[in-house]
Amino acid sequence: MSGPESRPGLEELVRRLRCAAEDGRLDERLLAPGAAWNLSLTLQHCAQSVGYSMTGYPLLRPGFFRLTAGRLAKAVFLRRGVMRHPLDAGIDGAPPADPELPPGAALAALAEVVAGFLEHGGPHPPHPAYGPCTHGEYAALHAMHVAEHLPGLR
């Protein structure tokens, strides 16, 4: 089976990360080839993104961008079930991640914020590039984001 419905969801990706940690595989092999960041920085980046989808992102792209290119990118990603973006692009305005944080601690932070996201029942602030997103859209986009950064989870 192919398409978005066959891609692992956010909860499943966190489960796979926990399994990798239990099996001693929580390491750089999970990262995309040529990744700009180490595993801990990547996990922290993903956790920031999920967290900001509940609290608000520090900076938004201009409204015109969100209404045009951003909206189109979101539609393409959701239709294809896969995301492509620069893997070294941080979240504008976000504080820097801690390069010394052990991967296990970064995974714990990601798992905690994902659990909060999955239980989140309130409104979501707009995405900095895609604009308004429903909970389901954010869930799918976050899963694609994690999967793109960590293709070794497949």
Side-chain angles (χ1 to χ4, degrees):
M1 181 148 106
S2 65
E5 62 281 351
S6 67
R7 304 272 193 282
L10 197 51
E11 191 170 20
E12 172 62 14
L13 290 167
V14 169
R15 187 193 68 74
R16 290 179 186 186
L17 278 164
R18 286 183 169 145
C19 287
E22 290 170 7
D23 295 344
R25 296 179 294 108
L26 190 62
D27 58 38
E28 310 304 306
R29 292 174 289 180
L30 297 173
L31 295 170
W37 302 326
N38 67 28
L39 181 61
S40 177
L41 290 172
T42 300
L43 294 171
Q44 291 174 69
H45 167 74
C46 292
Q48 279 183 329
S49 182
V50 174
Y52 287 141
S53 72
M54 294 180 285
T55 62
Y57 288 84
L59 295 173
L60 299 177
R61 294 227 178 151
F64 181 75
F65 180 90
R66 293 191 313 269
L67 288 172
T68 57
R71 182 182 286 179
L72 177 62
K74 177 176 84 168
V76 168
F77 294 158
L78 290 170
R79 185 175 63 252
R80 292 183 180 167
V82 66
M83 176 181 289
R84 296 284 179 254
H85 77 297
L87 296 179
D88 62 348
I91 298 169
D92 291 337
D98 179 0
E100 301 302 318
L101 186 69
L107 169 56
L110 175 60
E112 182 177 337
V113 76
V114 165
F117 173 83
L118 294 172
E119 294 176 4
H120 183 74
H124 289 279
H127 185 275
Y130 311 140
C133 295
T134 67
H135 185 80
E137 288 171 337
Y138 261 129
L141 291 163
H142 288 317
M144 287 181 246
H145 185 228
V146 171
E148 185 181 10
H149 277 287
L150 301 168
L153 288 175
R154 292 183 187 130

